Amino acid sequence: MKKLLMTLLLTFCIGCTYTLLNEKDTMVSAKSTKETIMIDAGHGGYDVGAVSNYGDYEKDINLDIALLVGKQLKSYGFEVVYTRTGDSVSWSNNNTEDLQTRCDLANKKNADLFVSIHLNSSEYEANGYEIYCDFNNKNTVKLSNSILKQLDQLDYSTNRGLLDTNETPLYVVANNEVDAILIEAGFISDDSDLYYLKNHTKNIATAIAKGIKKSLND
């Protein structure tokens, strides 16, 4: 009887040790695979981007969305870095150098993903949101579709779908060494889009962050 009790006790201790080691390994694994996401607020400083009929600058709305996206992603446990967190920029006012610096920052910060926030504009009647990505990159196509699905739920404008950067090259996507997408969150030239972008900025940011989370966690 005593031998049986000793055997059971030894088995229990080994089991506990194995469980604790497994839990420790799981914690280390989860921490080491945490993605670092770079959020790029398009334009900034010398470059105001598009301007609304009422004098709103694209660069300002881009930044508002970008900071809120980052805040939400942090709450999900992701590492978040930014190309800019204010209006002043430290890089050259040469457009190509500006865009290259944003790409370089993604590498410098060891980002796993680069998400650029922009707004569209047109002299003709147009509205809606769309995302540019490399159609040959399954990760960014999946990511883009996940974000569009979340934006659809807001029902604030038209889903204009995905655009292939192989057909319409965009510098921060085509010249980036990390997976990159560019989101056009709406038309600053459209009154309805502009109203939502300015007054429901948090909704748009949360939808983008949720789309990113769902894509990376699947």
Side-chain angles (χ1 to χ4, degrees):
M1 185 68 178
K2 188 178 289 186
K3 271 188 177 183
L4 178 61
L5 287 173
M6 289 295 290
T7 301
L8 289 172
L9 181 61
L10 182 60
T11 302
F12 175 76
C13 290
I14 292 172
C16 287
T17 303
Y18 178 79
T19 300
L20 287 170
L21 285 172
N22 272 357
E23 288 179 355
K24 185 177 179 181
D25 288 344
T26 300
M27 290 172 66
V28 170
S29 175
K31 186 175 181 180
S32 63
T33 58
K34 184 186 292 183
E35 289 88 351
T36 297
I37 303 168
M38 172 159 277
I39 307 297
D40 171 47
H43 306 287
Y46 72 95
D47 179 9
V48 302
V51 182
S52 78
N53 297 323
Y54 311 98
D56 304 284
Y57 291 157
E58 179 192 352
K59 66 174 183 177
D60 296 329
I61 300 175
N62 290 343
L63 182 61
D64 290 342
I65 296 172
L67 294 176
L68 288 171
V69 170
K71 183 178 180 180
Q72 189 66 46
L73 287 172
K74 283 181 180 178
S75 75
Y76 293 149
F78 293 106
E79 297 286 350
V80 176
V81 289
Y82 303 90
T83 55
R84 66 183 181 97
T85 55
D87 184 43
S88 61
V89 294
S90 58
W91 50 75
S92 165
N93 62 3
N94 175 279
N95 186 58
T96 302
E97 291 179 14
D98 176 328
L99 298 174
Q100 184 58 52
T101 300
R102 295 172 196 258
C103 297
D104 292 341
L105 283 169
N107 291 324
K108 184 178 179 181
K109 298 292 185 179
N110 296 314
D112 300 295
L113 179 63
F114 182 96
V115 178
S116 190
I117 309 293
H118 283 259
L119 303 181
N120 238 325
S121 182
S122 175
E123 58 185 277
Y124 305 104
E125 187 175 335
N127 71 337
Y129 45 89
E130 59 196 16
I131 300 179
Y132 287 86
C133 64
D134 178 356
F135 279 19
N136 294 324
N137 185 323
K138 292 181 179 179
N139 292 332
T140 57
V141 170
K142 176 187 173 185
L143 172 68
S144 300
N145 278 318
S146 180
I147 294 171
L148 287 178
K149 186 175 180 180
Q150 292 300 315
L151 290 173
D152 285 344
Q153 294 181 27
L154 301 179
D155 196 28
Y156 73 96
S157 195
T158 305
N159 182 344
R160 296 166 60 93
L162 302 185
L163 295 170
D164 187 1
T165 53
N166 293 299
E167 295 181 5
T168 309
L170 293 179
Y171 197 100
V172 293
V173 177
N175 296 278
N176 220 315
E177 292 186 22
V178 305
D179 287 349
I181 64 171
L182 187 146
I183 302 170
E184 299 277 10
F187 276 75
I188 197 171
S189 54
D190 178 77
D191 285 0
S192 179
D193 277 10
L194 178 62
Y195 178 84
Y196 199 90
L197 289 162
K198 290 176 63 177
N199 293 282
H200 301 282
T201 315
K202 188 174 181 180
N203 291 353
I204 293 174
T206 300
I208 292 171
K210 280 183 179 179
I212 294 171
K213 177 188 176 186
K214 287 181 177 293
S215 176
L216 294 179
N217 287 348
D218 280 351

